[in-house]
Amino acid sequence: MSSKLVKKLLQQTAVPLTSNEYHGSSQNQSKKKHVKSSANTSTAKVSKEEMMQEHVQSILRLDNYVRNYTSSTAKKSFTRHSSDLKQQQKQKKNLKRNPEGISNSRSSSSSFAQKTHEKTFDKEKEKRRREQGYFGDVARALKKAKKSKKKQKKQK
């Protein structure tokens, strides 16, 4: 729960909120002890406003702990996953809007037949990639042979 929502809730209950009231772990621990001791002594005298106040304070403490102890990598991961989900949803919407989208009807097959052929594999690019790999292997083998020659010369 965000702190803005909590502040709004507190304003509706007419309880003033001070910014330094919820900062610092030692203050939070002393408040917890105070809340527990007051709850044990007078459970029957607790009013709705006090219960609401205690509940809001616990939510604020939890919100502060979560904010302070979540790692940046977790936040990055969450944003990455949410952006991926948004992209997937956009793609689904676009497919629904596009009348030439993937479909199982007979009319869609004629629209696919009218489209031009798209290359999925290029022989020339594959040939160049293989040659680069071959020459890289040759270069590594020559380098290794050169090093072994230098070691033999040093040993003599």
Side-chain angles (χ1 to χ4, degrees):
M1 181 175 226
S2 70
S3 59
K4 290 180 181 178
L5 291 174
V6 174
K7 287 178 183 178
K8 189 182 281 187
L9 179 65
L10 283 175
Q11 288 174 353
Q12 289 174 353
T13 59
V15 177
L17 174 67
T18 58
S19 62
N20 60 0
E21 193 174 319
Y22 300 104
H23 296 293
S25 60
S26 62
Q27 291 176 351
N28 286 341
Q29 290 174 354
S30 64
K31 287 180 184 177
K32 286 181 189 176
K33 291 177 185 176
H34 178 67
V35 170
K36 288 180 183 177
S37 64
S38 66
N40 290 336
T41 57
S42 60
T43 55
K45 296 180 181 178
V46 177
S47 67
K48 279 189 174 182
E49 289 181 12
E50 290 173 352
M51 285 176 51
M52 184 67 89
Q53 179 72 16
E54 290 175 9
H55 183 68
V56 168
Q57 286 176 355
S58 66
I59 290 173
L60 279 173
R61 267 188 252 113
L62 179 66
D63 187 43
N64 286 334
Y65 287 139
V66 168
R67 190 181 321 119
N68 291 336
Y69 295 110
T70 53
S71 66
S72 63
T73 55
K75 291 176 185 174
K76 288 177 184 176
S77 174
F78 176 75
T79 55
R80 185 175 58 247
H81 286 293
S82 64
S83 65
D84 289 344
L85 287 174
K86 286 179 185 177
Q87 286 178 354
Q88 288 175 359
Q89 288 174 351
K90 283 183 182 179
Q91 288 175 354
K92 286 180 182 178
K93 285 181 183 178
N94 288 340
L95 282 176
K96 287 179 182 178
R97 285 186 209 157
N98 189 4
E100 297 177 357
I102 297 173
S103 174
N104 227 359
S105 67
R106 292 181 181 181
S107 63
S108 66
S109 62
S110 63
S111 66
F112 281 121
Q114 293 170 2
K115 290 186 178 181
T116 59
H117 178 70
E118 296 177 5
K119 284 189 174 182
T120 57
F121 181 76
D122 190 7
K123 288 182 182 179
E124 295 297 321
K125 285 183 183 178
E126 182 63 22
K127 186 177 179 181
R128 279 187 246 125
R129 190 186 62 81
R130 283 185 190 163
E131 285 179 355
Q132 286 177 351
Y134 171 74
F135 290 129
D137 292 342
V138 169
R140 275 188 240 114
L142 288 173
K143 195 174 188 179
K144 192 174 183 181
K146 191 176 182 180
K147 283 184 182 179
S148 64
K149 280 186 179 181
K150 285 183 181 180
K151 284 184 181 178
Q152 288 177 356
K153 286 183 181 179
K154 286 183 181 180
Q155 289 177 356
K156 288 183 181 181

